[in-house]
Amino acid sequence: MATSPALPYALEVNPESALQFTITKDPPTPNDGLGDHGATRCTMTLRHPGLTNEHLAFKVKTTQPRRYLVRPNQGIVAPGSSETVSILLVDKDRQVLWSTYDSLGQSALDHSKDKFLVQSCVVSDEFASQFKNEPLGEGGQFKKELVEALTAMWNSTSSDPKTPVYNKKLQVRHVVDTSASSAASAAGGGNASAAGAGRLPGTFAEGADSQNKIEAMSPQQLYEEVKSLRRKYEELVAFSVNLTAERDILNNTLEQTKRDLHREVATRKSLEKQGFQ
């Protein structure tokens, strides 16, 4: 259970320290508790602890905005109430994570560098009244006018040092559903001999033996063998595409981090010139 930070402008965040995503080989179905329309997801609850009678605004950020879809990523919470935020893992990245696990094991997924930041602050009753009885629209977000109002409010708050903002950081954990992976391994056991035929022979004798086995196959067996090799080829291509996409995401994140760093350095220098420390 989340503990209150005892600040009137702070929301209670549950879970407190980490968001866990369960990775499966195949996309989860909408009814298995892991996904929403075939997407891996987890939920986060933001509760107004009631330390103030004013409404609290929230905003959810992530270091990987292309990997996760946050619904809603900003909003208003009334005193004593709560808001549930759904975070969906993009299926392309689920495939990348599964391929990593399949090749290197769970240890390769541990110590993820993905992070989330939940920010909250007090807003006036007049501002909060815009959101009263306003339902979330398509994509789990408010209508365009309200989204723009929230964005403008946060932009104004970030440049106003007089408005206190609570920041709560959360780590990310990617955990593989071992029961699903075990079932997949058992189902694939019957294809072990076919997969073995796709390996490169270690010796000439092994190559000759493999050739003899292929010649002895019936047309149906040959067809199944070709299907198996074709499937492995497609999996290899998909894995290569996923690695390229992951590289692009990392490069974009690095460039964004550099820009943020340069902006922060410039801001600090400006404040120092004005006599602020």
Side-chain angles (χ1 to χ4, degrees), residues 188-207:
N191 296 327
S193 60
R199 295 196 308 264
L200 290 176
T203 66
F204 175 80
E206 289 181 10

Side-chain angles (χ1 to χ4, degrees), residues 47-203:
R47 193 179 79 85
H48 192 311
L51 299 180
T52 175
N53 291 325
E54 297 177 288
H55 289 67
L56 297 180
F58 72 86
K59 186 172 186 177
V60 182
K61 299 180 179 181
T62 176
T63 56
Q64 293 283 9
R66 294 187 179 183
R67 172 172 284 184
Y68 303 99
L69 301 179
V70 184
R71 303 175 177 173
N73 67 335
Q74 53 183 346
I76 302 291
V77 185
S81 64
S82 62
E83 179 76 37
T84 299
V85 177
S86 293
I87 305 172
L88 289 82
L89 174 65
V90 174
D91 191 61
K92 172 178 64 64
D93 289 282
R94 176 196 61 77
Q95 296 175 27
V96 171
L97 292 167
W98 174 263
S99 297
T100 301
Y101 164 80
D102 198 33
S103 302
L104 304 174
Q106 177 63 48
S107 60
L109 301 183
D110 293 339
H111 312 296
S112 170
K113 294 184 179 180
D114 297 357
K115 293 180 179 65
F116 280 81
L117 174 66
V118 180
Q119 297 181 298
S120 63
C121 70
V122 172
V123 293
S124 66
D125 291 338
E126 181 182 0
F127 182 84
S129 65
Q130 303 176 76
F131 300 83
K132 189 175 181 180
N133 300 324
E134 281 289 342
L136 296 178
E138 185 178 355
Q141 306 288 6
F142 288 108
K143 61 184 181 181
K144 182 180 178 182
E145 293 81 1
L146 295 180
V147 170
E148 291 176 347
L150 277 169
T151 301
M153 184 277 296
W154 279 110
N155 289 338
S156 174
T157 299
S158 62
S159 60
D160 181 8
K162 295 181 180 180
T163 303
V165 176
Y166 176 65
N167 296 301
K168 175 67 174 179
K169 296 180 181 179
L170 294 97
Q171 303 291 327
V172 171
R173 295 174 185 161
H174 298 124
V175 180
V176 171
D177 184 351
T178 54
S179 60
S181 61
S182 297
S185 298
N191 296 327
S193 60
R199 295 196 308 264
L200 290 176
T203 66

